[in-house]
Amino acid sequence: EEGNRMGLEMQFDHCILDHTSFYGLKLKQTLFKHCSLKEVDFTEAELGEVSFEGSNLEGAKFERTDLRKADFRGAKNYLIDPRENRVLKARFSKEDLEGLVKSLGVVVE
């Protein structure tokens, strides 16, 4: 099934979505552009090909989340454990790799 559970396509541009729950939703190809996504729950969500361009993901929860081909370039403050989430072919900026490897005990300098 393409799209999300309700069959809607969504795009968010410069939105404040702090403390929102997207638990278990199918949000493939959704655009979160320059959004505030603090403390958002993406647990078990399908976020394949989602773009988080310029968004603040401080405290966002990624657990058993499908992030295949998601684009985190330009996003900040995310913390994603690649052992608990599907990250195949996801895109990250070199400058922001700490949010991907911190859970592995790796230090990026």
Side-chain angles (χ1 to χ4, degrees):
E1 177 184 8
E2 295 295 317
N4 65 28
R5 223 178 259 177
M6 298 176 284
L8 300 174
E9 291 184 21
M10 294 183 278
Q11 294 189 358
F12 301 96
D13 191 352
H14 291 86
C15 294
I16 298 173
L17 299 166
D18 299 345
H19 307 284
T20 301
S21 177
F22 294 103
Y23 183 94
L25 291 180
K26 296 179 181 181
L27 300 171
K28 188 174 181 179
Q29 298 178 333
T30 297
L31 174 66
F32 294 97
K33 185 175 182 179
H34 300 286
C35 292
S36 180
L37 298 163
K38 295 177 184 176
E39 306 291 330
V40 170
D41 186 1
F42 289 112
T43 300
E44 296 185 10
E46 292 183 23
L47 303 177
E49 301 177 55
V50 165
S51 175
F52 290 104
E53 177 186 341
S55 293
N56 183 357
L57 292 155
E58 182 180 334
K61 186 176 180 180
F62 295 96
E63 292 180 5
R64 299 173 307 281
T65 306
D66 184 349
L67 297 166
R68 291 176 293 174
K69 297 184 182 178
D71 192 345
F72 286 89
R73 294 175 297 167
K76 59 185 179 180
N77 299 320
Y78 55 84
L79 184 58
I80 299 167
D81 187 337
R83 298 168 298 182
E84 293 187 17
N85 299 282
R86 298 174 79 179
V87 295
L88 184 66
K89 296 189 179 180
R91 302 179 80 173
F92 299 89
S93 299
K94 291 178 186 176
E95 298 81 21
D96 298 311
L97 282 178
E98 184 177 1
L100 183 64
V101 298
K102 189 173 186 177
S103 63
L104 302 174
V106 175
V107 178
V108 178
E109 295 181 357

